Amino acid sequence: MLEPREGIPPVIADEESLAGMIAAFEAGSGPVAVDAERASGYRYGQRAYLVQLRREGAGTALIDPVACPDLSGLGEALSGVEWVLHAATQDLPCLREIGMVPTRLFDTELAGRLAGFPRVGLGAMVEGVLGFVLEKGHSAVDWSTRPLPEPWLRYAALDVELLVDLRDALEKELDRQGKLEWAQQEFAAIAAAPPAEPRKEPWRRTSGMHKVRRRRQLAVVRELWEARDRIAQRRDVSPGKVLSDAAIVEAALAVPANVHALAALNGFGHRMGRRQLEQWQAAVDRAKVLADAQLPQPGQPVTGPPPPRAWADKDPAAAARLSAARAAVSALAEQLTMPQENLITPDTVRRVCWEPPNVVSAESVGTALAGFGARPWQVEQVTPVLVAALSA
C-alpha cells in the first residue's frame, strides 16, 4: 500500500481546522486509530511532533501539535471511544502531555504478542495478518522539521490507515485462541496505569557505566551528565548531540587535570571549541572538589531481591526455587504460544521465589502474584506451575 485511500490529508495547524476535525471525529463511528511521531535523537524530551488519527466516517487526520499544543478538546470528544494504538506505552506519555488520554484502548502490538506472532512490528503485522505491505522508511526522521515533506506525511497517514482493520483481525484471532479476555485485561491495565514516576538518578543510565567503579569517577559522570542535560534542554536538542555517553565515561575514567588533558580524550577532540572544553572541564573540577560524603554510592539502591547470579551464594534454596519456577513458566509460555514476559514478568517470579508465602498454596501464591500487579488471567495461568515449583 503506497498511498492512503483518500490521499494525504492537509496538516491541521490552526484552531478553526482543529474544531472542524474534532466535530467530524466525534460524529464518526467505531474505534479510532491513533499514532504519534516524536523526534527522538534530534530534540530534547519525547514530545509529539505529529499526531495521526483515523475513524470510520471521519477519514484520516494529521495534526501539528506544535501549532495546536492543547488537544484536550479532542481527547474529551473521544472519551469512551476505544483507541487503537500500536505499542501504546511508547505513545501514551507524549499524547498525555497534549491532553489526549484514552479511557479504553486496544494495543495491536501487545495483541500480536499474546496471539504468538513471531514479529510484532506494525509493518510485519499488517503484512502477516492483512496481506498489505506498508511503505516504511521514515520512522527515524526528524519529525520536528517544518514544513514536513510530503513523503513523510504519506508514511504517517499510512500508519493509521489499516490499524482498525488489524485490530478487528487480531480480536478474531485472540477469540479463536481463547485469549481475548486476557488481552482485554492487559489493555485495561495500560489505560488505568498512572504516568511513570521520573527516574531517580537518571545519570546512572549512561551507556558504559559498568566501567566506572570509583565514587569520584561516578561523581564526574553525574556532573557531566547534569551539565549536558541543562545545555540540551536549553537548546532543545537530543543530549547525545551535545556530548556522547562514551565521552562522559572516558572523562570519568581519566579525571583529566585540565582542559589540555581533556581535549586529548576521545569525544572531546579537535572540533570542540575552547569554550565548550572549559565548560566540560568545569564539571570535572566540580566533581574533584566534592567532600567524600557528597560522592555518589556505587550501584543503585536495590529494591526487592538481589540479582539472580548472587542467589546461589546468598540462598541456595531460593536459587533452586527460581530455577524450577523459570523452567515451569518457560514451558507454560511455550504451550500458550506467547513470550514469557507477557505471561508473567520475570521480576514478579523473582520476588515470589525470593520470599515465598509461609504456607505455599494456590491461594497464598495467587495473592502474592496479585500483590505484585499480576492480572487475574496471569494469576489463574501461572499459580499452578509456581505452586509446584515452590513446593518441589
Side-chain angles (χ1 to χ4, degrees):
M1 182 170 264
L2 300 175
E3 198 72 36
R5 280 169 277 200
E6 297 107 26
I8 304 167
V11 177
I12 292 164
D14 62 79
E15 293 304 320
E16 191 182 340
S17 309
L18 180 63
M21 174 259 159
I22 291 174
F25 270 73
E26 198 167 12
S29 61
V32 59
V34 182
D35 190 26
E37 305 296 347
R38 300 179 298 281
S40 307
Y42 298 95
R43 295 287 181 173
Y44 185 86
Q46 291 295 317
R47 68 172 293 186
Y49 283 94
L50 188 71
V51 176
Q52 309 100 279
L53 301 99
R54 183 175 177 83
R55 192 178 191 196
E56 187 69 38
T60 297
L62 304 177
I63 306 172
D64 178 356
V66 178
C68 302
D70 180 9
L71 297 185
S72 53
L74 175 59
E76 284 160 23
L78 297 174
S79 179
V81 175
E82 182 187 84
W83 296 21
V84 184
L85 298 109
H86 191 79
T89 51
Q90 289 180 23
D91 285 341
L92 288 177
C94 71
L95 290 169
R96 184 180 269 113
E97 275 181 18
I98 50 179
M100 293 182 66
V101 184
T103 50
R104 293 168 53 216
L105 64 84
F106 189 108
D107 184 334
T108 49
E109 189 215 39
L110 183 50
R113 287 175 181 277
L114 295 174
F117 284 85
R119 292 164 64 223
V120 292
L122 182 59
M125 294 285 288
V126 165
E127 189 174 344
V129 177
L130 301 176
F132 284 97
V133 178
L134 285 181
E135 192 214 355
K136 301 302 278 182
H138 298 297
S139 59
V141 297
D142 180 2
W143 287 96
S144 69
T145 302
R146 292 295 182 272
L148 284 162
E150 189 177 285
W152 300 11
L153 295 173
R154 182 182 296 110
Y155 159 90
L158 285 170
D159 263 1
V160 289
E161 183 79 15
L162 297 167
L163 214 44
V164 174
D165 303 87
L166 180 61
R167 173 234 176 273
D168 293 345
L170 287 170
E171 183 178 61
K172 286 196 183 98
E173 180 57 25
L174 287 165
D175 195 30
R176 188 187 70 76
Q177 294 186 21
K179 297 175 181 174
L180 184 56
E181 169 60 26
W182 303 358
Q184 286 164 345
Q185 288 181 30
E186 291 298 307
F187 303 154
I190 294 171
E197 293 282 320
R199 285 192 197 282
K200 285 181 181 157
E201 303 191 315
W203 58 270
R204 288 188 185 269
R205 294 180 67 80
T206 303
S207 184
M209 276 291 284
H210 61 281
K211 299 177 196 165
V212 183
R213 299 287 165 83
R214 296 182 185 152
R215 290 176 66 200
R216 186 75 56 189
Q217 294 173 329
L218 289 171
V220 173
V221 173
R222 181 176 65 187
E223 292 294 336
L224 283 169
W225 190 97
E226 288 176 352
R228 176 183 74 172
D229 197 62
R230 287 191 295 272
I231 294 164
Q233 193 166 5
R234 189 177 71 240
R235 286 170 41 192
D236 189 17
V237 294
S238 165
K241 288 197 176 301
V242 176
L243 187 68
S244 71
D245 279 11
I248 289 178
V249 169
E250 188 92 3
L253 295 174
V255 192
N258 52 41
V259 168
H260 183 69
L262 181 71
L265 299 175
N266 285 337
F268 296 91
H270 55 278
R271 286 185 302 171
M272 197 172 277
R274 176 85 190 182
R275 213 170 116 234
Q276 283 177 295
L277 286 167
E278 282 171 354
Q279 76 187 1
W280 302 129
Q281 185 61 42
V284 174
D285 293 341
R286 284 196 295 276
K288 280 193 207 168
V289 298
L290 288 174
D292 283 359
Q294 297 171 294
L295 297 176
Q297 292 297 331
Q300 287 173 283
V302 176
T303 55
R309 63 179 178 275
W311 286 31
D313 292 333
K314 287 178 186 284
D315 188 340
R321 286 193 296 268
L322 181 63
S323 177
R326 281 174 160 174
V329 168
S330 174
L332 179 59
E334 206 167 307
Q335 191 185 320
L336 296 171
T337 60
M338 69 171 68
Q340 288 179 50
E341 64 272 18
N342 292 110
L343 173 58
I344 191 79
T345 68
D347 181 63
T348 299
V349 175
R350 283 196 294 270
R351 286 172 186 268
V352 172
C353 290
W354 185 250
E355 283 187 48
N358 293 328
V359 178
V360 173
S361 67
E363 189 182 353
S364 65
V365 171
T367 301
L369 289 172
F372 293 126
R375 261 69 73 191
W377 76 270
Q378 294 175 312
V379 173
E380 187 186 335
Q381 294 298 316
V382 173
T383 295
V385 300
L386 280 189
V387 168
L390 295 171
S391 307

